[in-house]
Amino acid sequence: MTLHVFNPEHDLALAANLSNFTSPHAGRQLRMDIGFLPAIWAAVDDVVLVEDVEAAQRDFARVMHRSFDRFVDKRQLARLGITHVEPWGWDLALRSFLIRYGVGAVPAEEEIGVIRDLSHRKYAIDLLRTLDFEGTTGRSWQADGMAAVQQALQDCQRIVVKAPWSSSGRGIRFVEGTVPMISQQRWIQNVIDRQGSVVIETYCHKVKDFGMEFESDGEGHVHYLGLSLFHTQNGAYTGNILASEEEKQEKISRYLSMDLLEKVQEKICTCLGKLYCGKYAGPFGVDMMVVRGNNQQHFLLNPCVEINLRRTMGHVALALSKQMPSDHVMRVEYSDKTYKLKIKQI
């Protein structure tokens, strides 16, 4: 029996690297409110872990207009005979939680340590350098001290500073001027003290966010799943377009050639297939950007803004696109102290 788990606090848990990790309130609330998500792609005999079974059944039916009766809570886990777990992402906190509630089908701590290392942004730096095709742009590197950050700012005037491990919308600062503000310096030094370095990127004039979604078999092969056209606000995810691949390609082709995207896709499959061989089996996504070039009509591709070594909302959108009509958008909205997944016609 396969157990699906939506643990949206995964990135923060991975950064903390603790078996006993308490997620911030927002992460706990998101897990409670839309924990039914894996039911969208779960097989008929799978089960989905949620905080509140009745609420999950109600909210799933509201979104999908059909029922799902295989939701379970943590009190039921020990007697289910779980043989496989598919989480949003693996971290020590989830491993410890599942063992505590009687699930033995979890990776060893050493395996999760490998996944944590592979989730470090240094691998996004390496991949970006590899994807150096005509029509691409972007540069990133690591800095292990404040002096290196200040030198980067002197050279570039505007940079993006990121924590090596962090979640969407968190762990990122946009810095410009001659020196970072005092508050930015404190944040940067704190990250360096805790995580050993920061990642610096040259600032790009973003026109459009999108990504590519993949699946690694852990044996050297990576399968491309499709495009993800998503929206962000202040760096945080807000929603995805639901459409066929042909429709998504048409939208991106207004800015970039499909030949370039195909080259990037094939290179990612080759490079990350080798990197993840024997180390990681599961879904992942690579976030990208359409970037404005030298004039208003010229666009470039930043082919690797992030590697998300876990399931992403892009994977959710791909699953929904197979079940919903096109010209819809999937949004995660927050109001009245709750999160709601909503699907609306564009």
Side-chain angles (χ1 to χ4, degrees), residues 192-262:
I192 292 172
D193 291 343
R194 288 186 292 109
Q195 299 190 16
S197 67
V198 291
V199 171
I200 298 174
E201 295 177 0
T202 52
Y203 176 83
C204 295
H205 188 128
K206 181 177 71 176
V207 175
K208 193 174 190 64
D209 285 309
F210 75 105
M212 294 183 182
E213 308 302 339
F214 301 88
E215 180 98 17
S216 166
D217 68 359
E219 298 179 356
H221 302 99
V222 164
H223 177 54
Y224 172 63
L225 301 178
L227 288 170
S228 169
L229 306 190
F230 61 92
H231 304 286
T232 60
Q233 186 172 354
N234 298 323
Y237 172 88
T238 57
N240 257 84
I241 291 173
L242 305 182
S244 68
E245 282 306 299
E246 292 75 17
E247 290 168 317
K248 288 182 286 187
Q249 288 173 5
E250 191 279 327
K251 292 179 186 294
I252 294 297
S253 68
R254 300 171 193 175
Y255 307 95
L256 304 167
S257 78
M258 288 299 102
D259 286 344
L260 175 59
L261 290 186
E262 187 173 345

Side-chain angles (χ1 to χ4, degrees), residues 15-291:
N17 202 31
L18 299 171
S19 293
N20 296 311
F21 170 74
T22 301
S23 169
H25 173 76
R28 299 195 304 273
Q29 191 69 48
L30 190 62
R31 183 176 68 241
M32 177 175 289
D33 293 340
I34 61 171
F36 62 85
L37 276 184
I40 295 169
W41 58 86
V44 64
D45 293 327
D46 296 350
V47 293
V48 176
L49 178 66
V50 294
E51 299 285 318
D52 184 323
V53 170
E54 289 185 7
Q57 290 172 333
R58 180 190 66 236
D59 292 338
F60 178 81
R62 172 184 57 80
V63 173
M64 299 301 295
H65 307 292
R66 59 184 172 88
S67 62
F68 184 85
D69 61 0
R70 303 277 292 176
F71 292 115
V72 298
D73 63 32
K74 60 188 179 184
R75 296 168 298 180
Q76 299 170 265
L77 292 177
R79 61 176 183 268
L80 289 177
I82 302 298
T83 56
H84 181 64
V85 180
E86 290 193 12
W88 195 252
W90 277 114
D91 51 67
L92 289 178
L94 177 62
R95 179 183 186 275
S96 177
F97 169 85
L98 291 174
I99 290 173
R100 190 160 62 248
Y101 283 94
V103 178
V106 299
E109 289 189 10
E110 293 77 14
E111 294 176 82
I112 292 178
V114 171
I115 291 172
R116 183 175 188 267
D117 176 69
L118 291 172
S119 300
H120 192 288
R121 281 193 165 105
K122 62 188 176 185
Y123 292 103
I125 295 173
D126 293 341
L127 184 60
L128 180 60
R129 289 172 181 160
T130 302
L131 300 174
D132 185 19
F133 298 110
E134 183 178 354
T136 64
T137 188
R139 190 164 65 94
S140 61
W141 62 99
Q142 286 193 84
D144 58 7
M146 187 61 66
V149 176
Q150 292 177 333
Q151 185 61 56
L153 195 55
Q154 293 290 329
D155 294 341
C156 303
Q157 284 76 58
R158 197 173 188 186
I159 59 175
V160 184
V161 183
K162 298 181 176 181
W165 291 281
S166 64
S167 62
S168 300
R170 302 170 70 104
I172 300 174
R173 296 294 187 274
F174 294 87
V175 184
E176 58 184 315
T178 55
V179 294
M181 294 186 297
I182 296 300
S183 60
Q184 292 173 330
Q185 291 185 39
R186 290 188 186 125
W187 179 83
I188 291 167
Q189 190 59 57
N190 186 43
V191 172
I192 292 172
D193 291 343
R194 288 186 292 109
Q195 299 190 16
S197 67
V198 291
V199 171
I200 298 174
E201 295 177 0
T202 52
Y203 176 83
C204 295
H205 188 128
K206 181 177 71 176
V207 175
K208 193 174 190 64
D209 285 309
F210 75 105
M212 294 183 182
E213 308 302 339
F214 301 88
E215 180 98 17
S216 166
D217 68 359
E219 298 179 356
H221 302 99
V222 164
H223 177 54
Y224 172 63
L225 301 178
L227 288 170
S228 169
L229 306 190
F230 61 92
H231 304 286
T232 60
Q233 186 172 354
N234 298 323
Y237 172 88
T238 57
N240 257 84
I241 291 173
L242 305 182
S244 68
E245 282 306 299
E246 292 75 17
E247 290 168 317
K248 288 182 286 187
Q249 288 173 5
E250 191 279 327
K251 292 179 186 294
I252 294 297
S253 68
R254 300 171 193 175
Y255 307 95
L256 304 167
S257 78
M258 288 299 102
D259 286 344
L260 175 59
L261 290 186
E262 187 173 345
K263 287 180 184 177
V264 167
Q265 170 206 315
E266 291 175 352
K267 194 71 170 179
I268 290 172
C269 288
T270 300
C271 293
L272 296 188
K274 292 177 182 176
L275 178 63
Y276 297 158
C277 184
K279 298 176 181 177
Y280 177 76
F284 69 93
V286 179
D287 289 348
M288 306 178 181
M289 287 193 303
V290 178
V291 174

